[in-house]
Short mmCIF file of all heavy atoms in Angstrom, two decimals:
data_model
loop_
_atom_site.label_atom_id
_atom_site.label_comp_id
_atom_site.label_asym_id
_atom_site.label_seq_id
_atom_site.Cartn_x
_atom_site.Cartn_y
_atom_site.Cartn_z
N THR A 220 77.24 63.01 -11.84
CA THR A 220 77.70 64.39 -11.98
C THR A 220 77.95 65.01 -10.61
O THR A 220 78.95 65.69 -10.38
CB THR A 220 76.65 65.22 -12.74
OG1 THR A 220 76.42 64.61 -14.02
CG2 THR A 220 77.13 66.64 -12.94
N PHE A 221 77.04 64.75 -9.69
CA PHE A 221 77.14 65.28 -8.32
C PHE A 221 78.42 64.79 -7.65
O PHE A 221 79.16 65.56 -7.03
CB PHE A 221 75.90 64.85 -7.53
CG PHE A 221 75.88 65.32 -6.11
CD1 PHE A 221 75.53 66.62 -5.80
CD2 PHE A 221 76.21 64.47 -5.07
CE1 PHE A 221 75.51 67.07 -4.49
CE2 PHE A 221 76.19 64.89 -3.76
CZ PHE A 221 75.83 66.19 -3.46
N ASN A 222 78.69 63.49 -7.79
CA ASN A 222 79.85 62.91 -7.13
C ASN A 222 81.15 63.25 -7.85
O ASN A 222 82.23 63.13 -7.26
CB ASN A 222 79.71 61.39 -7.03
CG ASN A 222 78.60 60.98 -6.09
OD1 ASN A 222 78.35 61.63 -5.08
ND2 ASN A 222 77.91 59.89 -6.40
N ALA A 223 81.04 63.65 -9.12
CA ALA A 223 82.25 63.98 -9.88
C ALA A 223 82.76 65.39 -9.60
O ALA A 223 83.91 65.70 -9.91
CB ALA A 223 81.99 63.82 -11.39
N VAL A 224 81.92 66.23 -9.00
CA VAL A 224 82.34 67.59 -8.69
C VAL A 224 83.47 67.54 -7.66
O VAL A 224 83.36 66.86 -6.64
CB VAL A 224 81.15 68.43 -8.17
CG1 VAL A 224 81.61 69.82 -7.77
CG2 VAL A 224 80.06 68.51 -9.22
N THR A 225 84.55 68.23 -7.93
CA THR A 225 85.71 68.15 -7.05
C THR A 225 85.52 68.93 -5.76
O THR A 225 86.14 68.61 -4.75
CB THR A 225 86.95 68.68 -7.79
OG1 THR A 225 86.70 70.01 -8.27
CG2 THR A 225 87.29 67.78 -8.97
N GLU A 226 84.68 69.96 -5.77
CA GLU A 226 84.45 70.72 -4.55
C GLU A 226 83.39 70.04 -3.69
O GLU A 226 82.48 69.41 -4.22
CB GLU A 226 83.97 72.15 -4.88
CG GLU A 226 85.03 73.03 -5.50
CD GLU A 226 85.10 72.88 -6.99
OE1 GLU A 226 84.19 72.23 -7.55
OE2 GLU A 226 86.05 73.39 -7.61
N PRO A 227 83.50 70.13 -2.37
CA PRO A 227 82.47 69.56 -1.49
C PRO A 227 81.11 70.24 -1.72
O PRO A 227 81.03 71.46 -1.82
CB PRO A 227 83.00 69.85 -0.08
CG PRO A 227 84.46 70.05 -0.25
CD PRO A 227 84.64 70.67 -1.61
N ILE A 228 80.06 69.41 -1.82
CA ILE A 228 78.69 69.90 -1.97
C ILE A 228 77.84 69.24 -0.89
O ILE A 228 77.92 68.02 -0.70
CB ILE A 228 78.12 69.58 -3.36
CG1 ILE A 228 78.98 70.18 -4.46
CG2 ILE A 228 76.70 70.12 -3.49
CD1 ILE A 228 78.49 69.87 -5.87
N LEU A 229 77.04 70.02 -0.19
CA LEU A 229 76.18 69.50 0.86
C LEU A 229 74.76 69.99 0.64
O LEU A 229 74.54 71.14 0.25
CB LEU A 229 76.66 69.93 2.25
CG LEU A 229 78.05 69.45 2.69
CD1 LEU A 229 79.12 70.46 2.28
CD2 LEU A 229 78.10 69.26 4.19
N LEU A 230 73.80 69.10 0.89
CA LEU A 230 72.38 69.45 0.85
C LEU A 230 71.87 69.47 2.28
O LEU A 230 71.91 68.45 2.97
CB LEU A 230 71.60 68.46 0.00
CG LEU A 230 70.10 68.76 -0.15
CD1 LEU A 230 69.89 70.04 -0.94
CD2 LEU A 230 69.38 67.60 -0.83
N ILE A 231 71.41 70.63 2.74
CA ILE A 231 70.98 70.82 4.12
C ILE A 231 69.48 71.08 4.15
O ILE A 231 68.98 71.94 3.40
CB ILE A 231 71.72 72.01 4.77
CG1 ILE A 231 73.22 71.97 4.44
CG2 ILE A 231 71.47 72.07 6.26
CD1 ILE A 231 73.94 70.81 5.02
N ASP A 232 68.74 70.34 4.99
CA ASP A 232 67.31 70.60 5.11
C ASP A 232 67.07 71.75 6.09
O ASP A 232 68.01 72.28 6.70
CB ASP A 232 66.54 69.34 5.53
CG ASP A 232 66.94 68.84 6.91
OD1 ASP A 232 67.53 69.61 7.69
OD2 ASP A 232 66.67 67.66 7.22
N THR A 233 65.81 72.14 6.26
CA THR A 233 65.50 73.31 7.10
C THR A 233 65.70 73.03 8.58
O THR A 233 65.62 73.96 9.39
CB THR A 233 64.04 73.74 6.84
OG1 THR A 233 63.17 72.61 7.01
CG2 THR A 233 63.88 74.29 5.43
#
Side-chain angles (χ1 to χ4, degrees):
T220 303
F221 180 78
N222 292 326
V224 177
T225 55
E226 290 86 10
I228 303 179
L229 298 90
L230 182 67
I231 315 295
D232 64 18
T233 53

